[in-house]
Amino acid sequence: MKICFATHNADKAREVQEMLPANIEILDLKSLGFHEEIEENGTTIRENALIKAKAVFDKLNIPCFADDTGLEVFSLNGEPGVFSARYAGSQKDPEANMARLLGNLEGKTDRTAQFKTVIAYIGNDGTEHVFEGIATGHILEKKRGQQGFGYDPVFQPTGFGQSFAEMSTQEKNRISHRAKAFEKLVSYLKSHSQ
Ligand code: ITT
């Protein structure tokens, strides 16, 4: 069974492949000759994941999944959410995004937040399935740590004394929003590929 992962990132595709048995083959967009930019113009993380998966399924006609992730801060009404990558502008600069976030939280006592990953999967017959992974935590007053990417230096997961950026990749991957969503997808694919 061949399944497309709607990403241009071959490393992401390899990571998922390693979680799956050999009868399921994960192909990224490049290896399928899909080079178009997909416009992520949804108003939610879920919508964007579905937009990406549908665009690729419509073109390639094989089972396909796409992921989208955002950071939701409760006292900011869920911001940056679907705008996480370009919170401080189209240059998608993580430092500027974190600076804007810390600025917007100045003076607020509630700093609770969650990372959310949504994976949209479209099966052979066009049916849609959605898998969600959440990591709860809070936004720190200041950046801490050098690992990871994006908002990791300002996010401390619930039950831990370290920010995501102070954890090793393996530690973060055990508890992350992305890992949880992919575990759900993988267990679905395993039980539906016989
Ligand atoms: P693709 O859609 O091309 O995969 P993207 O940059 O849009 O890449 P995501 O949808 O996965 O990436 O994430 C949106 C933004 O949220 C991303 O730019 C980061 O700033 C942030 N982000 C996502 N996952 C994160 C994580 O695990 N830790 C910290 N920040 C994260």
Side-chain angles (χ1 to χ4, degrees):
M1 184 181 188
K2 288 187 196 303
I3 300 179
C4 168
F5 183 178
T7 180
H8 291 292
N9 186 333
D11 293 324
K12 267 188 175 181
R14 194 171 326 113
E15 250 180 58
V16 181
Q17 180 71 71
E18 282 167 13
M19 297 166 81
L20 286 164
N23 65 325
I24 303 176
E25 189 183 352
I26 301 296
L27 301 162
D28 66 86
L29 291 177
K30 199 170 162 197
S31 65
L32 287 161
F34 187 106
H35 301 294
E36 290 159 42
E37 263 302 313
I38 303 163
E39 204 191 335
E40 295 179 33
N41 54 6
T43 55
T44 62
I45 297 165
R46 181 191 169 102
E47 253 178 57
N48 272 348
L50 277 164
I51 286 170
K52 282 190 265 185
K54 273 188 201 152
V56 178
F57 178 80
D58 287 348
K59 194 101 197 215
L60 301 177
N61 258 293
I62 60 169
C64 177
F65 63 88
D67 70 325
D68 199 40
T69 298
L71 174 66
E72 300 178 330
V73 180
F74 293 93
S75 64
L76 300 177
N77 300 315
E79 268 187 34
V82 73
F83 303 111
S84 293
R86 54 208 141 99
Y87 195 38
S90 56
Q91 73 280 11
K92 295 187 172 183
D93 175 9
E95 291 300 325
N97 287 341
M98 284 188 285
R100 172 151 192 224
L101 178 63
L102 294 181
N104 287 348
L105 278 173
E106 248 169 54
K108 302 225 189 251
T109 43
D110 179 7
R111 300 179 74 93
T112 52
Q114 63 183 26
F115 272 115
K116 185 190 279 176
T117 294
V118 176
I119 299 171
Y121 172 71
I122 311 208
N124 249 330
D125 55 357
T127 50
E128 294 169 6
H129 303 266
V130 170
F131 306 95
E132 192 175 281
I134 284 176
T136 61
H138 70 272
I139 304 300
L140 296 163
E141 300 276 346
K142 282 193 192 129
K143 293 189 287 174
R144 278 196 348 227
Q146 310 290 326
Q147 318 283 323
F149 65 98
Y151 295 90
D152 282 344
V154 295
F155 183 84
Q156 182 162 305
T158 307
F160 292 81
Q162 295 164 298
S163 74
F164 264 168
E166 291 176 309
M167 295 180 168
S168 66
T169 311
Q170 291 92 316
E171 272 177 297
K172 180 186 164 189
N173 285 347
R174 269 199 291 275
I175 57 167
S176 82
H177 41 294
R178 195 170 293 97
K180 286 176 188 163
F182 275 104
E183 276 160 23
K184 288 183 188 171
L185 171 76
V186 163
S187 89
Y188 175 85
L189 292 178
K190 279 183 182 167
S191 61
H192 287 80
S193 65
Q194 312 309 324

